[in-house]
Amino acid sequence: MEILVCVKQVPDTAENDIELAKGGRDIEREDLVYSVNEWDNYAVEAAIQLRDQVGGRVTVVTIGGEEADEVLRRQLAMGADGGLHVNDEALEGSDGLGLARVLEAVAQQGSYDLILTGAQADDGAGQVGGMLAALMDLPFAALVNHIEPSGAGALRIGREVAGGDQEISEMDLPCVLSIQTGINQPRYVGIRGIRKVASVEIPQLDAAALGLDAASLGAGAARLRRLDYFVPQSGPGARMLAGKPDQLAAQLVEILKAKGGIR
Amino acid sequence: MDNLFAYIMHREGAPHDSAAELLAAARQLAPQAAPVAILAGHGPELDAACQQAAALFPQVWKIGHPYLAQPNAEILRPLLARLVPQGALLLLAHEHFAMDLAPGLSVKLGAAYLPDAVAFTGIEGGRLKAVREEFAGLVSAHVSLDLSAGAVISLRPGAFKAGEAAPVQGQISDKSAADLDGGMPPARRRYIETVAAEAGEVDITKAEVLVSVGRGIQDQDNLELVFDLAKALGAEVSCSRPIVDAKWLPKPRQVGTSGKTVKPKVYLACGISGSSQHLGGLTGASCVIAINKHPKAPIFQRAEVGVVADIIQFLPVLTKAVRAAK
Ligand SMILES: Cc1cc2nc3c(=O)[nH]c(=O)nc-3n(C[C@H](O)[C@H](O)[C@H](O)COP(=O)(O)OP(=O)(O)OC[C@H]3O[C@@H](n4cnc5c(N)ncnc54)[C@H](O)[C@@H]3O)c2cc1C
């Protein structure tokens, strides 16, 4: 099975405080720790497991600047067979559809049975996988939390629905799936593993190499544009307690008593 | 703006809670318009849901077919792409079904897509200005959406407040026959069954006090600190999703839109950032107390009381104080 997994490098929100920069036109990128989008890690692991079961190849693709190379290497170290790096300034400011168009062009240069994305990334939009499927006129399922081969040319998949129920379906290949966290336990990759793939050649692609028309890309073509980042004028918010740990605990005990929190 | 639609989910014959929120959002976009609710499904449950939707919306479109008894975005998407007119605005609630349906629908309609909007701030020159959250809710963004070729807009549940509108007597139009005559589109994704979430040995939905743990606990071994505190309080332990994904606690303990909705008197959130999906399970919690080492964690917006502390150090101190107070 030929599998393409779309991955994204994102600021690690567990490690970073996100601050505004340039009057809200961007976030402060200096000293930001980046990592692989959490959902994508599960997608790559799912692809590797499926390949190990039925044979084939896993290719990871990312759209991003030079730094995004690191993400591809990490996924190669996990066990992906090859990487593709789309890097072109003309893509800056693309909306979800713009990025889906780029991925469509990437997919058309290969012959993939299965395309995976994470269910969502750092912007919480969860849109690229579904758009890609629609552009390519392939069947799609979002929030997939189970995949198994089901005869020739089909998969049996589970998708998460509200309340944590699981909807089981059979799906024809080729198809596009967006992967939900928890579908597996992504394997750990250490520095050693990443060093081993340091010299693997990763083809670099730009809009021209993908046969994309520059006018249909980037901020100019985007129908959804970000105007600025801001920190909302928050409501009253929580009453924040102050003091040393002992004092904080003592105050909390009083509040817990008053609210019925100690039984 | 006449072309205003809301796709309404329903269950057991009743529209989803978000229906009234979608109506409020539609009214915000175009106060004078007569927004159309679209409901798809099958049989008496669909009829009942349409009746109720017609008390909210001036017009209701009903799409019925046995194949639609189970919501299946792959079947519904091409139907909606045929039914919804060019240039229309279609609103829906940003949750599991929308994530399946909406992005591809926007492509098939040739419309723009705005996912997970939390507020609208105005329409100007054919563009809608709206607010979204990014980076796990740490910052917000103003975005501008081109409406010229129509748009699909998903709304964060709970973000648009349902209005106090008097019930209307909406008109229900049956769109099933006209558009399903050609048969159902070929289903390349075939529904088999729904597996209900496992029940588990503790029912956190009945707990009066919950000590809830998130990724901030860092290590499975540290869970002991949480169970110690819960024991001292006479509380149950619940958690956020990453704790379940890591298999540190079983799924029935997860709070949120893909877990349980809880209604304790006190919810003590320890090392939980406060994502929209987590807060979606907290709608019935009376008093939320948050302990987080990051003073700007979004959970402090939902909490009544906040403590900035490292839970690894602070939880034992709190447990000791609780024991002493008993
Ligand atoms: C469709 C869908 C459904 C979902 N359903 C759910 C759901 O039902 N429930 C759910 O919870 N999530 C759900 N999620 C995931 C959700 O988006 C978040 O990823 C998740 O809630 C984050 O969990 P968290 O707050 O524990 O972790 P994080 O967001 O990583 O937050 C950890 C927090 O701990 C703090 N922290 C770190 N170390 C310490 C320390 N030592 N002491 C104190 N504080 C510390 C950090 O400041 C941070 O605020 C869903 C996502 C999707 C896409």
Side-chain angles (χ1 to χ4, degrees):
Chain A
M1 194 179 295
E2 287 290 314
I3 309 175
L4 179 68
V5 192
C6 311
V7 301
K8 183 180 182 187
Q9 187 181 44
V10 301
D12 186 340
T13 46
E15 293 293 321
N16 293 284
D17 190 6
I18 307 285
E19 301 274 5
L20 305 187
K22 302 180 202 159
R25 270 181 295 131
D26 199 0
I27 55 165
E28 186 55 64
R29 304 233 171 226
E30 206 130 306
D31 301 327
L32 214 53
V33 179
Y34 286 91
S35 59
V36 183
N37 172 40
E38 186 180 359
W39 281 264
D40 301 347
N41 246 339
Y42 289 89
V44 173
E45 179 65 41
I48 291 170
Q49 289 186 12
L50 201 56
R51 176 205 62 195
D52 290 349
Q53 238 178 311
V54 302
R57 248 178 79 84
V58 175
T59 306
V60 282
V61 58
T62 196
I63 305 171
E66 238 165 81
E67 341 63 67
D69 179 72
E70 189 189 319
V71 168
L72 292 175
R73 305 240 169 241
R74 179 163 280 277
Q75 309 300 20
L76 290 173
M78 269 177 89
D81 302 285
L84 295 169
H85 189 163
V86 183
N87 184 358
D88 193 329
E89 276 181 12
L91 302 182
E92 233 161 85
S94 294
D95 60 4
L97 184 61
L99 297 176
R101 284 217 172 92
V102 174
L103 293 171
E104 179 195 18
V106 170
Q108 278 165 346
Q109 292 200 337
S111 163
Y112 298 100
D113 305 295
L114 178 63
I115 302 175
L116 304 182
T117 70
Q120 62 175 34
D122 53 348
D123 56 7
Q127 58 186 344
V128 170
M131 289 176 163
L132 176 60
L135 287 173
M136 299 184 74
D137 201 23
L138 293 177
F140 173 69
L143 297 159
V144 169
N145 60 7
H146 179 81
I147 306 178
E148 68 183 274
S150 169
L155 294 175
R156 186 183 168 92
I157 59 136
R159 51 178 304 272
E160 176 181 287
V161 293
D165 291 355
Q166 188 186 39
E167 187 183 282
I168 310 286
S169 303
E170 191 181 54
M171 211 155 161
D172 291 344
L173 293 169
C175 67
V176 181
L177 307 176
S178 90
I179 303 297
Q180 174 63 310
T181 60
I183 183 175
N184 51 40
Q185 301 283 307
R187 65 199 67 190
Y188 174 79
V189 282
I191 293 288
R192 270 248 214 86
I194 294 176
R195 264 197 217 124
K196 271 197 200 147
V197 297
S199 59
V200 173
E201 182 101 23
I202 296 178
Q204 302 280 315
L205 302 165
D206 58 13
L210 289 167
L212 287 163
D213 169 15
S216 71
L217 304 169
R223 284 187 286 178
L224 180 63
R225 290 190 199 141
R226 189 190 307 106
L227 302 172
D228 64 5
Y229 287 113
F230 68 103
V231 177
Q233 285 294 329
S234 42
R239 170 157 72 91
M240 303 302 286
L241 305 182
K244 298 208 179 70
D246 281 336
Q247 298 165 326
L248 290 170
Q251 293 174 70
L252 266 188
V253 166
E254 289 315 310
I255 294 168
L256 284 164
K257 274 188 192 159
K259 302 279 179 188
I262 303 185
R263 286 149 39 92
Chain B
M1 197 179 299
D2 298 326
N3 275 337
L4 201 49
F5 295 83
Y7 181 77
I8 310 289
M9 296 185 302
H10 57 95
R11 214 187 150 147
E12 288 162 9
H16 192 260
D17 288 346
S18 57
E21 296 171 18
L22 295 177
L23 178 66
R27 294 255 184 262
Q28 214 181 314
L29 286 175
Q32 307 306 329
V36 182
I38 304 179
L39 288 84
H42 176 60
E45 289 204 351
L46 173 62
D47 293 335
C50 285
Q51 289 294 342
Q52 287 193 36
L56 283 170
F57 286 82
Q59 293 184 66
V60 175
W61 285 8
K62 176 175 110 174
I63 314 176
H65 194 284
Y67 278 133
L68 295 168
Q70 175 67 23
N72 183 336
E74 287 295 293
I75 295 179
L76 192 59
R77 193 182 302 112
L79 293 180
L80 289 178
R82 269 192 274 161
L83 273 175
V84 175
Q86 272 279 316
L89 301 191
L90 175 72
L91 307 180
L92 71 179
H94 188 84
E95 46 62 77
H96 290 79
F97 188 65
M99 290 178 80
D100 207 24
L101 173 75
L105 179 60
S106 73
V107 171
K108 294 297 183 196
L109 285 169
Y113 183 44
L114 167 59
D116 199 20
V118 299
F120 297 148
T121 56
I123 296 185
E124 219 186 282
R127 299 191 74 99
L128 168 68
K129 203 173 156 193
V131 178
R132 302 189 66 250
E133 290 183 353
E134 295 198 24
F135 305 114
L138 288 172
V139 290
S140 295
H142 287 111
V143 295
S144 159
L145 184 75
D146 180 353
L147 301 178
S148 57
V152 175
I153 302 174
S154 72
L155 307 178
R156 165 87 49 96
F160 290 77
K161 294 286 163 268
E164 295 272 322
V168 296
Q169 292 205 319
Q171 189 194 343
I172 301 175
S173 327
D174 194 338
K175 295 283 173 179
S176 319
D179 286 82
L180 296 181
D181 268 355
M184 298 303 286
R188 293 177 295 179
R189 183 176 115 197
R190 297 168 291 277
Y191 172 76
I192 299 173
E193 61 174 335
T194 300
V195 182
E198 49 183 311
E201 81 272 40
V202 283
D203 186 357
I204 59 169
T205 66
K206 300 233 161 66
E208 292 206 345
V209 186
L210 282 170
V211 178
S212 204
V213 56
R215 183 143 46 193
I217 198 70
Q218 290 160 8
D219 193 302
Q220 187 169 16
D221 291 341
N222 293 334
L223 282 180
E224 206 183 311
L225 307 176
V226 179
F227 278 93
D228 284 350
L229 175 60
K231 192 166 171 222
L233 290 169
E236 295 288 1
V237 171
S238 58
C239 64
S240 68
R241 177 170 186 130
I243 303 296
V244 173
D245 286 341
K247 302 217 158 28
W248 293 353
L249 286 175
K251 181 90 179 166
R253 291 200 191 251
Q254 180 190 318
V255 174
T257 55
S258 60
K260 298 279 196 304
T261 300
V262 296
K263 39 183 189 315
K265 283 189 196 151
V266 176
Y267 186 83
L268 194 59
C270 308
I272 292 176
S273 64
S275 67
S276 62
Q277 294 93 354
H278 188 78
L279 299 184
L282 278 186
T283 44
S286 307
C287 174
V288 175
I289 301 175
I291 310 174
N292 194 302
K293 70 171 183 190
H294 186 15
K296 290 186 204 154
I299 187 80
F300 289 129
Q301 292 310 311
R302 167 66 179 83
E304 188 175 322
V305 177
V307 174
V308 176
D310 182 328
I311 53 172
I312 314 297
Q313 263 120 56
F314 183 66
L315 291 188
V317 179
L318 180 57
T319 304
K320 214 171 119 198
V322 170
R323 287 209 185 104
K326 274 190 139 175

